Amino acid sequence: MTRAVVVGGSIAGLLAAAALAGTFDEVLVLERDRLSADEGFRPGAPQARHAHGMLLRGARAVERLLPGLQEELRADGAAVVDMGERLLVSNQGQAAPRQALGLPLQLFSRNFLETRMRHRVEALPGVTVRDATSVTGLCAAHGGTRITGVTVQAAGENDAPVASAEVIDADLVVDASGRNSRAANWLGALGYPAPEEVVVDAGQSYVTAWLDRHDALSDTGGAVYEIGQHRARGRGGMGVAIEGGRIQVLLFGRGSDQPSTDPAEFRVQARRLGSPMLTALAEAVGPGTPLYTYAKLINRRRLHHRMPRRPERFVVMGDALCIFNPVYGQGMTVAALQAEDLRTGAARLLRAPGGTRALQRRLARRTSVPWLLATAQDSRWTDRPSPLSPVCGWLLNRMVARIAESPQLHKGFLQILQLVGPTALADPRALYALLRPGPTRRSRRAG
């Protein structure tokens, strides 16, 4: 009888459980929050009130892990649309013409996705999700070199901890507990050094308004992403149509451009971005509109794979391993790709526990490209900008300025946003549109 324990019942933890279900006789997911059957918010996921999106590459990975989930989401109201027709990437109001590009996009609220994903995972053979249970430490054998389980503290009435702790044995422990992971403390209690951390903080925050409906997006099932001032000012915004005809309007910024939860100021800040559609959405924000703020838009990478010593049969993934500025929407996709690596590597761990370090390295590699994309931009507002920041900034400005002129460049830009692959700009017509000298057509018309 083999058992895997997954710490954390959010998106990464659920995907990890789905990946392990075919290898272990029992998969136990331990979630600190008390879960409910509805789609209500919970303390451990304050970011759920803000706009979320599963990038195309992540959506494909999730579908391999949980076949049929996308269709279930669609049946419940989360439409699947073509990105070229329904996602307007706007440069101060100028956007590429709508066109079918063969890039599917599905939009939904975080709780809508997580609730349905949890129900699907709980239905898998051998999987149990146990809520109101906090992991307090790791159990080890062989001089602390092999993890054999976890210690937990269950919550009783009014979420107060019960008197005694419990030990749960496991053949594999996966930490998917998110940005507030306690893995460094657990390892430290066993005598291991804390993993090195790299932090890039651009000082951004964002505010999201929830609208019951707005005709600018409700009838299209799409989104607008205003990115024209992101490179120069670190500010931007988006409007997203989600299930039930509801709209999320999100503004992000830094310094004096940090968005406000005052409805009137929120509307003013939206107008500054220069997008007519985003301005129209924000004009519907009034005194009774729910507005939520979130200020933890940092990038943090914990280098567990570089620890000089680490125990076997314990791995870290998802936000517990690497946090990306959520403005770029990469976190859920990286977690899905890591879950696929976990599925491949878990069976090997049962046969040869010495492969834990190799698996942790594979999980870390999944963060490398998204980390580069996020921090090359964000680091320019820190005291240690990335050497690649000027190059990446030039490419971003060039692509955003010229996607309206070239369908091929438009598609390549969206593929890069969706983490589809390194050949996104391989089309010679896209490269020509990107690299040709001279001003853009918009600039010539303005002159």
Side-chain angles (χ1 to χ4, degrees):
M1 181 76 172
T2 57
R3 176 192 290 152
V5 166
V6 178
V7 185
S10 195
I11 299 294
L14 294 172
L15 293 174
L20 298 172
T23 300
F24 291 83
D25 299 309
E26 181 183 355
V27 179
L28 180 59
V29 180
L30 302 175
E31 168 55 44
R32 182 184 58 185
D33 286 345
R34 193 174 298 278
L35 302 173
S36 61
D38 60 20
E39 297 171 24
F41 296 112
R42 56 187 180 84
Q47 71 273 26
R49 292 174 170 83
H50 303 277
H52 279 68
M54 184 74 74
L55 305 184
L56 178 56
R57 193 174 180 193
R60 291 171 175 170
V62 170
E63 193 65 18
R64 289 190 290 267
L65 291 163
L66 295 169
L69 179 62
Q70 186 177 79
E71 183 55 40
E72 179 182 337
L73 299 174
R74 187 209 300 260
D76 284 348
V80 179
V81 297
D82 189 291
M83 290 180 62
E85 295 178 319
R86 294 291 182 261
L87 173 62
L88 297 182
V89 180
S90 174
N91 177 16
Q92 301 185 67
Q94 183 191 39
R98 296 179 186 269
Q99 57 186 326
L101 296 176
L103 299 174
L105 173 69
Q106 191 170 36
L107 297 169
F108 33 68
S109 67
R110 162 67 177 261
N111 289 354
F112 177 89
L113 171 65
E114 185 175 304
T115 301
R116 284 154 183 79
M117 186 179 288
R118 183 168 67 247
H119 293 163
R120 288 288 300 272
V121 170
E122 286 178 315
L124 295 173
V127 176
T128 302
V129 178
R130 178 173 162 183
D131 67 349
T133 303
S134 297
V135 173
T136 58
L138 298 170
C139 302
H142 304 286
T145 60
R146 180 182 294 187
I147 299 304
T148 60
V150 295
T151 57
V152 303
Q153 188 84 46
E157 294 184 8
N158 301 319
D159 291 336
V162 297
S164 59
E166 177 187 356
V167 174
I168 299 176
D169 295 330
D171 300 283
L172 174 67
V173 176
V174 178
D175 179 20
S177 58
R179 63 179 60 237
N180 296 318
S181 166
R182 303 278 296 168
N185 300 75
W186 302 337
L187 291 169
L190 296 175
Y192 289 95
E196 180 186 353
E197 287 191 357
V198 182
V199 177
V200 177
D201 185 358
Q204 289 179 318
S205 64
Y206 57 36
V207 170
T208 298
W210 285 63
L211 303 175
D212 288 336
R213 182 176 179 82
H214 196 293
D215 290 340
L217 283 179
S218 294
D219 294 334
T220 68
V224 56
Y225 179 25
E226 173 53 56
I227 196 175
Q229 298 179 36
H230 182 34
R231 171 66 183 168
R233 298 290 299 270
R235 68 186 183 189
M238 63 186 71
V240 181
I242 58 173
E243 72 281 352
R246 293 175 296 173
I247 304 295
Q248 292 175 312
V249 185
L250 181 148
L251 302 182
F252 64 88
R254 59 179 301 276
S256 61
D257 290 318
Q258 290 190 4
S260 172
T261 55
D262 175 73
E265 182 61 23
F266 186 90
R267 296 193 297 270
V268 170
Q269 291 173 326
R271 287 195 291 271
R272 289 181 189 146
L273 297 177
S275 166
M277 181 175 286
L278 195 61
T279 296
L281 293 171
E283 288 302 314
V285 175
T289 304
L291 284 147
Y292 304 102
T293 188
Y294 193 68
K296 299 178 181 179
L297 307 191
I298 65 173
N299 305 276
R300 174 181 283 119
R301 200 178 190 195
R302 297 178 172 116
L303 307 182
H304 281 272
H305 63 295
R306 294 186 184 175
M307 291 175 62
R309 298 185 299 113
R310 66 183 331 276
E312 299 297 337
R313 298 197 178 185
F314 174 68
V315 294
V316 184
M317 63 174 289
D319 281 359
L321 182 64
C322 188
I323 306 165
F324 307 97
N325 182 340
V327 163
Y328 304 107
Q330 301 173 127
M332 292 193 296
T333 289
V334 171
L337 298 175
Q338 290 175 333
E340 289 198 302
D341 288 335
L342 191 62
R343 169 180 278 180
T344 302
R348 297 173 188 165
L349 287 186
L350 287 178
R351 297 191 301 269
T356 303
R357 181 178 291 275
L359 175 56
Q360 188 66 68
R361 286 173 176 163
R362 286 197 295 276
L363 298 178
R365 280 198 296 270
R366 289 295 190 184
T367 69
S368 297
V369 172
W371 178 265
L372 173 64
L373 293 175
T375 59
Q377 169 64 15
D378 286 2
S379 68
R380 69 186 302 264
W381 290 299
T382 70
D383 56 1
R384 297 183 63 183
S386 166
L388 296 176
S389 184
V391 176
C392 291
W394 180 86
L395 286 172
L396 174 64
N397 286 345
R398 195 83 160 189
M399 282 190 286
V400 171
R402 295 186 171 187
I403 57 174
E405 304 176 12
S406 167
Q408 295 78 28
L409 184 58
H410 183 199
K411 183 173 183 178
F413 178 71
L414 292 177
Q415 288 176 318
I416 291 173
L417 287 182
Q418 298 291 309
L419 299 179
V420 170
T423 61
L425 293 176
D427 189 303
R429 294 167 293 182
L431 284 174
Y432 175 75
L434 178 67
L435 300 176
R436 67 170 177 77
T440 64
R441 294 176 186 173
R442 184 185 182 189
S443 298
R444 290 198 297 269
R445 288 197 301 269

